Amino acid sequence: MRHVLKRAGLGVAAVAAWAGVMAGAAGCTAVGGTGGTGAPGSLGSPGGHASPGGQGGGGAKGGSSDDTIQVTPRNGAENVAPDGRLEVRVPGGRLESVQVRRIEDARPAEVPGSVSRDGLSWRPEPGTRLALAAKYSVDAVALDGRGRRSARHTTFTTLVPEHRFIGYVAPEHRSTVGTGMIVSFRFNRPVKNRAAVERAVRVTADPPVEVAGHWFGAKRLDLRPESYWAPGTEVTVDLRLRDVEAAPGVYGIQHRTVRFTIGRSQISRVDAEAHTMEVRRDGRLLAKLPVTAGAPKTTTYNGRMVVTELFEVTRMNGATVGFKDADGKGEYDIKDVPHAMRLTASGTFLHGNYWAEPSTFGSANVSHGCVGLRDVKGGGADTPAGWFFDRTLIGDVVEVVNSRDRKVAPDNGLGGWNMGWEQWKDGSALR
């Protein structure tokens, strides 16, 4: 899937109620592959979570021959053995200072060591063993024979054992999100001791509000308050998984804090029968836009959905979600769908549409299950789709009513708002 992430600028142009827009069959949508700004890949793509790439090269040689200060392991090395070679060297002059520290951890610690008598090398104290699954920094300062000072900063990470687990969390640290954002964890291994893991995840808010967790299977934990967050709320997620046993012999490795801010409230209500979408900002009606929703044989889900990804342009191929012709090819394959906003993991989007007749919008439902807004090829900032896209945040709520389909499942994307509070809390391992 090719995609371009959302542009940064937000226009403040006044909006008109775009009347009469589009007629003719419009192919709606689902994306194949991963990617995008927002929630974890498993929430934002049918293909599941994308794991971090790259293989480690622990114990590799130090810097290039041009480096005055040579560090082993090399800068950026991964999967370094805890008892592997750790050394800082200079070819001449002397090392003035060396500091090796464990970083990005709740308990940063300095590695004890010393510079040799000739001043040419630094090594850790005998018997020193680095922590597993940890990141380290090396900061060294050296003087050459003429007294000129040079410095070097490198980092490396140590081995992550096979029987360790980590959690991937949405939203991102320091992000600003909509009031419907649900904190969602995906774990890389099945969790059997759910109570211990849930106890190690703490979500607090300012102003305070009760937050409860709900497990969707053995690898996903979502957390939310009873109602949408209040605008301006500061949310802190403390992840204390290090040494927590998730399953027999499988231990966590993370100490991490994520903070995010709740922005303004924006809730959009799509009426599939009336072919309209009302956009409300902090309770005030901003616009009533004409839309096209799912056709009679490919209806749009009812219920409350949350925006998890934003793409200025993306490719949508029906074959990725089962819409295939007799020859096995997708019923549609649109390589440049503009202003695409993901609503479910199964492929429901709210997006721009330039290929249908303008009279379709506001009068007919012709999509494959998505909600379409009038747009132009390449995406226009002054079209209904462009206007809405530029005013949308990850975490904004889109609710669909009056569609001839079932309610969206609570684990399809961030659909947890479709569960009542007591039912939601019943899914906690701490009840």
Side-chain angles (χ1 to χ4, degrees):
M1 176 194 73
R2 187 182 71 85
H3 62 264
V4 178
L5 299 184
K6 180 178 180 180
R7 56 179 170 264
L10 289 181
V12 197
V15 72
W18 289 273
V21 226
M22 304 185 87
C28 185
T29 90
V31 173
T34 62
T37 297
S42 52
L43 295 177
S45 61
H49 191 86
S51 54
Q55 293 296 321
K61 294 181 179 179
S64 70
S65 59
D66 294 332
D67 293 328
T68 302
I69 303 173
Q70 299 189 13
V71 180
T72 302
R74 62 175 171 79
N75 187 31
E78 299 177 356
N79 291 329
V80 174
D83 55 357
R85 183 184 172 200
L86 175 57
E87 184 180 41
V88 181
R89 294 191 62 86
V90 290
R94 64 182 177 87
L95 286 167
E96 186 176 59
S97 65
V98 175
Q99 185 182 55
V100 181
R101 300 180 71 245
R102 186 173 67 206
I103 59 175
E104 296 188 7
D105 191 277
R107 300 185 297 273
E110 187 166 345
V111 177
S114 59
V115 176
S116 62
R117 288 187 177 183
D118 62 9
L120 297 177
S121 66
W122 176 97
R123 291 188 181 92
E125 290 183 0
T128 298
R129 183 180 175 87
L130 302 180
L132 291 169
K135 186 172 184 178
Y136 287 85
S137 66
V138 179
D139 289 283
V141 178
L143 296 173
D144 67 11
R146 298 181 180 180
R148 294 175 298 191
R149 184 173 279 107
S150 61
R152 186 145 193 241
H153 171 82
T154 66
T155 62
F156 64 90
T157 54
T158 54
L159 181 69
V160 179
E162 180 181 356
H163 298 295
R164 291 283 186 166
F165 81 100
I166 59 175
Y168 305 94
V169 62
E172 295 179 355
H173 183 50
R174 296 179 178 175
S175 58
T176 297
V177 299
T179 56
M181 190 68 215
I182 293 175
V183 178
S184 186
F185 285 90
R186 290 276 182 163
F187 300 101
N188 68 320
R189 298 183 187 279
V191 175
K192 292 188 177 181
N193 191 355
R194 298 183 188 180
V197 171
E198 188 174 343
R199 203 174 288 117
V201 177
R202 185 170 181 236
V203 180
T204 55
D206 183 17
V209 64
E210 180 185 2
V211 177
H214 187 101
W215 287 87
F216 294 107
K219 297 178 72 173
R220 177 175 170 184
L221 171 64
D222 285 8
L223 301 103
R224 68 167 177 88
E226 180 176 4
S227 303
Y228 299 142
W229 304 96
T233 299
E234 299 289 338
V235 183
T236 300
V237 182
D238 285 310
L239 185 61
R240 297 293 178 258
L241 291 177
R242 186 177 292 278
D243 299 326
V244 173
E245 190 174 21
V250 178
Y251 293 89
I253 60 175
Q254 291 169 299
H255 273 183
R256 184 183 177 193
T257 298
V258 173
R259 294 183 175 89
F260 61 93
T261 301
I262 305 300
R264 80 292 175 274
S265 169
Q266 181 167 294
I267 299 174
S268 303
R269 189 173 186 266
V270 175
D271 188 327
E273 190 173 63
H275 318 295
T276 59
M277 180 173 72
E278 293 183 347
V279 183
R280 295 185 180 274
R281 174 76 62 85
D282 296 319
R284 181 175 65 88
L285 181 65
L286 284 187
K288 188 173 184 178
L289 308 178
V291 303
T292 181
K297 292 184 178 180
T298 54
T299 48
T300 304
Y301 289 124
N302 283 295
R304 292 184 283 181
M305 294 167 258
V306 175
V307 176
T308 57
E309 290 182 302
L310 296 162
F311 304 111
E312 281 196 7
V313 62
T314 191
R315 179 179 180 177
M316 295 184 174
N317 188 329
T320 64
V321 288
F323 292 118
K324 300 179 182 179
D325 293 326
D327 59 3
K329 295 182 179 180
E331 292 182 10
Y332 56 87
D333 185 4
I334 305 167
K335 297 177 175 61
D336 59 348
V337 177
H339 296 134
M341 295 153 273
R342 182 184 283 277
L343 302 179
T344 71
S346 61
T348 308
F349 277 72
L350 198 164
H351 64 81
N353 181 319
Y354 65 82
W355 51 90
E357 292 295 327
S359 58
T360 302
F361 296 97
S363 64
N365 291 330
V366 297
S367 82
H368 279 77
C370 292
V371 177
L373 290 167
R374 181 176 63 84
D375 212 333
V376 295
K377 191 174 179 65
D382 57 352
T383 63
W387 178 89
F388 184 72
F389 185 85
D390 279 345
R391 287 158 180 80
T392 296
L393 292 174
I394 298 295
D396 281 349
V397 177
V398 176
E399 182 177 9
V400 177
V401 299
N402 296 326
S403 175
R404 297 180 181 180
D405 204 331
R406 64 188 184 278
K407 184 178 290 187
V408 65
D411 62 344
N412 192 354
L414 297 178
W417 298 109
N418 295 290
M419 300 179 72
W421 185 232
E422 291 305 317
Q423 183 184 8
W424 179 265
K425 292 194 294 184
D426 284 342
S428 169
L430 303 180
R431 295 281 282 180

